[in-house]
């Protein structure tokens, strides 16, 4: 397959429904779980939740884990860290929702950018449209990349067979070498990461398996506590049986009942924000050290019927990640 067809044929924003359903689902309804889709897989469909939010504020919102407020009070808000959002910033698809400061209407990338900026309000936020093919540039200091999209085509290839554009090639290289934390939405097909749905796979997922500073992020139906355990959201991809995925898989609450947003698209920016916050405390840590700190401090006692094949390492715990005086 040609590089052009690969890049511009299947870059798809991850939202409520599987990307493979985009061509078949053309109209949205009033149900907040419905979707609005434009086009099909062959022309870079963008399939998003019908109700999406926005905001930038240093006020702890009800959809956030209380750990975020504790981190802010300790002075850790992502300062000195750059988060780059690779997403849709140019399509005509816009959707409405509310992150706690009123209803707004924006593109998918504008929502994921806003969410990351709310979690880590002092981080430098950069935007990179995923419809371009140029490599993702890094900034001085710690870099975090947020990928709330997938690269889908027919199942049966290996990632090494894909003619990646410079954009995805740079992301994969950064994750491999540990030069940037890569927070990747796990997907919304309710299968294991890298699994086949309607004959297609997310090859960006597959290319990031086993990479040093990559984190796959699944969605819980709430923020978990020991007294009110969270469960996997019905749509979220799971870790599966591959231990290389399990060891780099985290989950966080995506409380669509509060925001109108559902999908692992809105789980990944939370972890991207957490990485920036952890980086603002451990200022000499490498991206791989930040990645491992988030993975190794995840909680399992806040999850219903914990299993590594479902939840991977567990629910990301910002308080535990920030607890030590230093990390290795």
């Amino acid at each position: 397959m040609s590089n052009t067809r690969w890049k511009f044929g299947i870059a798809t924003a991850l939202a409520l429904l599987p990307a493979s359903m985009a061509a078949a689902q053309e109209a949205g309804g009033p149900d907040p779980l419905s979707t609005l889709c434009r086009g099909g897989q062959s022309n870079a469909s963008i399939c998003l939740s019908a109700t999406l939010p926005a905001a930038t504020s240093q006020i702890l919102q009800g959809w956030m884990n209380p750990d975020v407020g504790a981190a802010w009070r300790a002075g850790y808000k992502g300062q000195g860290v750059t988060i780059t959002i690779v997403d849709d910033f140019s399509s005509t698809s816009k959707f409405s929702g509310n992150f706690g400061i009123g209803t707004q209407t924006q593109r998918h990338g504008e929502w994921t950018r806003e969410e990351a900026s709310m979690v880590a309000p002092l981080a430098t936020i950069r935007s990179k449209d995923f419809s371009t093919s140029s490599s993702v540039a890094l900034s001085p200091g710690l870099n975090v990349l947020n990928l709330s999209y997938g690269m889908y085509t027919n199942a049966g290839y290996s990632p090494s067979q894909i003619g990646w554009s410079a954009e995805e090639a740079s992301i994969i290289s950064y994750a491999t070498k540990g030069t940037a934390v890569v927070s990747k939405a796990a997907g919304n097909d309710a299968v294991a990461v890298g699994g086949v749905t309607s004959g297609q796979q997310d090859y960006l997922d597959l290319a990031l398996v086993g990479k040093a500073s990559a984190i796959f992020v699944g969605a819980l139906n709430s923020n978990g506590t020991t007294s009110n355990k969270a469960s996997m959201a019905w749509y979220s991809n799971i870790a599966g049986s591959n231990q290389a995925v399990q060891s780099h898989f985290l989950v966080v609450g995506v409380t669509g009942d509060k925001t109108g947003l559902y999908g692992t698209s809105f789980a990944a920016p939370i972890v991207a924000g957490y990485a920036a916050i952890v980086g603002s405390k451990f200022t000499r840590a490498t991206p791989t050290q930040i990645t491992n700190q988030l993975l190794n401090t995840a909680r399992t006692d806040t999850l219903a019927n914990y299993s590594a094949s479902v939840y991977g390492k567990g629910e990301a715990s910002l308080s535990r990640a920030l607890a030590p005086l230093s990390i290795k």
Side-chain angles (χ1 to χ4, degrees), residues 181 212-215 248 286-296:
V181 180
S213 57
I215 302 174
H248 280 252
T286 67
T288 300
Q289 288 174 321
I290 297 295
T291 298
N292 289 337
Q293 183 66 3
L294 287 167
L295 291 165
N296 293 336

Side-chain angles (χ1 to χ4, degrees), residues 23-274:
Q25 303 246 1
E26 191 64 29
D31 186 339
L33 297 184
S34 66
T35 60
L36 298 175
C37 300
R38 297 291 180 263
Q41 290 286 16
S42 62
N43 60 358
S45 64
I46 305 298
C47 200
L48 305 174
S49 171
T51 52
L52 306 177
T56 50
S57 172
Q58 292 188 35
I59 298 173
L60 188 71
Q61 300 294 338
W63 53 269
M64 296 178 180
N65 192 294
D67 280 2
V68 175
W72 291 355
R73 290 190 296 273
Y76 307 121
K77 299 183 179 182
Q79 57 270 33
V81 180
T82 299
I83 303 175
T84 300
I85 310 295
V86 186
D87 211 311
D88 167 36
F89 293 99
S90 62
S91 81
T92 58
S93 297
K94 295 184 178 182
F95 303 90
S96 300
N98 191 334
F99 261 135
I101 63 167
T103 300
Q104 296 186 12
T105 302
Q106 298 189 59
R107 297 177 180 88
H108 187 269
E110 292 161 347
W111 295 125
T112 56
R113 177 178 64 192
E114 194 118 47
E115 185 178 27
S117 71
M118 290 183 73
V119 174
L122 294 188
T124 298
I125 308 293
R126 299 171 64 236
S127 306
K128 175 75 161 63
D129 195 287
F130 68 12
S131 68
T132 62
S133 58
S134 59
S135 62
V136 179
L138 299 183
S139 298
L142 179 67
N143 284 266
V144 179
L145 309 183
N146 187 83
L147 314 180
S148 289
Y149 72 100
M151 300 292 286
Y152 292 85
T153 198
N154 294 336
Y157 297 98
S158 72
S160 63
Q161 292 178 284
I162 303 303
W164 296 108
S165 73
E167 184 169 82
E168 279 68 43
S170 67
I171 292 167
I172 296 164
S173 175
Y174 298 149
T176 302
K177 297 176 181 177
T179 48
V181 180
V182 177
S183 181
K184 169 69 168 74
N188 308 303
D189 298 311
V191 298
V193 167
V196 179
T197 302
S198 299
Q200 296 199 333
Q201 289 175 285
D202 180 352
Y203 283 88
L204 189 52
D205 269 356
L206 290 173
L208 292 172
V209 173
K211 301 304 186 282
S213 57
I215 302 174
F216 299 104
V217 189
L220 299 171
N221 59 6
S222 66
N223 294 307
T225 66
T226 54
S227 60
N228 189 15
K229 298 177 187 289
S231 299
M232 209 70 171
W234 65 268
Y235 52 79
S236 180
N237 282 2
I238 61 175
S241 60
N242 187 336
Q243 292 185 358
V245 176
Q246 292 178 8
S247 65
H248 280 252
F249 190 99
L250 292 175
V251 290
V252 292
V254 176
T255 53
D257 57 326
K258 295 181 173 69
T259 66
L261 284 168
Y262 298 80
T264 59
S265 280
F266 307 104
I270 293 174
V271 169
Y274 284 9

